[in-house]
Amino acid sequence: MRKNSIKNTRINGEVLRELSNIIRGEIKDPRINPMTSVVSVEVTPDLKQCKAYISVLGDEESQKSTLEGLKSAEGYIRRQLAATINLRNTPEIIFILDQSIEYGVNMSKLIDDVTKDLKDDMEQEE
């Protein structure tokens, strides 16, 4: 089976949706930041492993504690995933911190600062 087959893409979407619901609504661990979102999910074609890319809005300490909380709750999350999604195998979940959203926000801020400085320079020249 190809890695990006239609079936695999559909499974990735379903796991992403259910994983988001479980993290948002069912886990009561205080270490997990309430502003945690699942950015993307990659399930291997044999359904043995799943890489879940997690984005956490907050400081570095909050991100570390959220990742620790998710890793400790992996068994519970996997059990809930097995109950909601009917797959031959329930994948082992590997949580990976994804900082692309934070990176994008920082880049946007830097671009805004540069354009503001250019605009101020243009006004001073006139």
Side-chain angles (χ1 to χ4, degrees):
M1 180 166 49
R2 294 184 331 263
K3 184 172 167 102
N4 291 329
S5 69
I6 294 170
K7 178 183 174 189
N8 202 5
T9 304
R10 194 170 51 225
I11 290 171
N12 286 343
E14 189 68 26
V15 170
L16 176 95
R17 183 170 48 249
E18 290 302 325
L19 202 56
S20 296
N21 289 339
I22 292 168
I23 291 172
R24 186 175 8 94
E26 298 181 23
I27 297 180
K28 303 293 186 244
D29 193 330
R31 294 178 290 183
I32 297 174
N33 189 322
M35 296 299 287
T36 301
S37 61
V38 182
V39 178
S40 70
V41 170
E42 293 176 5
V43 180
T44 56
D46 63 355
L47 305 175
K48 297 287 185 190
Q49 284 191 330
C50 166
K51 290 181 183 176
Y53 295 92
I54 306 295
S55 175
V56 180
L57 192 66
D59 60 347
E60 195 171 322
E61 182 64 34
S62 174
Q63 293 173 350
K64 283 183 183 177
S65 67
T66 297
L67 217 53
E68 288 173 11
L70 288 173
K71 285 180 182 176
S72 71
E74 182 187 344
Y76 173 77
I77 294 170
R78 195 171 174 194
R79 195 166 47 251
Q80 293 300 105
L81 207 58
T84 56
I85 299 177
N86 186 17
L87 293 174
R88 182 179 299 128
N89 299 318
T90 304
E92 174 188 341
I93 305 168
I94 301 166
F95 293 104
I96 300 170
L97 191 61
D98 182 26
Q99 297 180 336
S100 62
I101 294 174
E102 184 179 343
Y103 179 77
V105 168
N106 287 337
M107 290 304 287
S108 179
K109 183 178 172 231
L110 290 173
I111 290 170
D112 289 345
D113 290 346
V114 169
T115 55
K116 182 178 160 243
D117 291 344
L118 287 174
K119 188 175 180 183
D120 291 344
D121 289 346
M122 293 290 281
E123 288 175 359
Q124 287 178 356
E125 288 178 3
E126 293 176 355

